[in-house]
Amino acid sequence: MLFRSSLPIAIAGASGRMGRMLIEAVQASPDTHLAGALDVATSPAVGSDAAAFLGQSSGVVITSDLHAGLQNAGYLIDFTRPEGTMAHLRKCRELGVKLVIGTTGFTDEQKAEIDAASRDIAIVMAPNMAVGVNVVFKDRKSTRLNSSHGYISY
């Protein structure tokens, strides 16, 4: 059963090790629900239920279509690669989806683009995975993720 206060979370890199851990955490959390699951088009997981690896049905199909994967999400958690994160950032900005970035290895230009996007959407950039995920799952009330805009970098 979903509650009105349940956060709609999408996960990028859904079939990867971190993506699966995040899906499991979202599924287990009483105040979040899985709203989207993204992966690269070449992933064999595309088209399958995002929680199938848990022996569960989430009702969310893993897709490589960014718009489809984010259309029901309020938040995207992204621990992919810089080029994927930048594509996700642009789509999140277009759709107004808040973003948690755990990806590392950005160029100065990419960091500047992330900073510019933070004027339009709330962004937490936390290369330390524990910090980034905990911001969403445990401490969202004290961060600017609950506000309309903001950029937090740890």
Side-chain angles (χ1 to χ4, degrees):
M1 173 180 225
L2 300 179
F3 300 98
R4 284 188 167 276
S5 63
S6 177
L7 296 176
I9 308 284
I11 304 297
S15 67
R17 183 180 54 84
M18 191 62 178
R20 286 179 170 211
M21 289 173 54
L22 291 166
I23 289 169
E24 185 172 10
V26 168
Q27 290 288 96
S29 177
D31 60 352
T32 63
H33 67 274
L34 191 62
L38 297 167
D39 219 321
V40 294
T42 56
S43 170
V46 169
S48 64
D49 188 283
F53 72 97
L54 294 169
Q56 300 174 5
S57 176
S58 66
V60 173
V61 174
I62 297 174
T63 182
S64 61
D65 180 324
L66 296 184
H67 188 84
L70 292 172
Q71 67 184 353
N72 297 315
Y75 303 82
L76 173 65
I77 302 176
D78 185 322
F79 287 90
T80 60
R81 297 175 189 257
E83 46 289 340
T85 299
M86 298 312 292
H88 301 152
L89 171 76
R90 293 176 194 117
K91 185 54 81 170
C92 284
R93 193 175 190 184
E94 175 188 325
L95 298 175
V97 174
K98 296 169 180 78
L99 181 58
V100 174
I101 301 172
T103 305
T104 59
F106 293 106
T107 65
D108 288 340
E109 293 80 19
Q110 290 169 325
K111 288 177 186 176
E113 186 177 345
I114 293 166
D115 185 54
S118 74
R119 293 175 184 90
D120 299 321
I121 58 172
I123 297 173
V124 173
M125 187 169 173
N128 178 329
M129 293 179 235
V131 173
V133 174
N134 283 325
V135 164
V136 172
F137 287 112
K138 299 198 187 280
D139 198 28
R140 73 178 194 260
K141 291 180 183 168
S142 67
T143 68
R144 293 182 66 192
L145 265 182
N146 251 3
S147 66
S148 60
H149 302 78
Y151 176 69
I152 303 168
S153 181
Y154 291 91

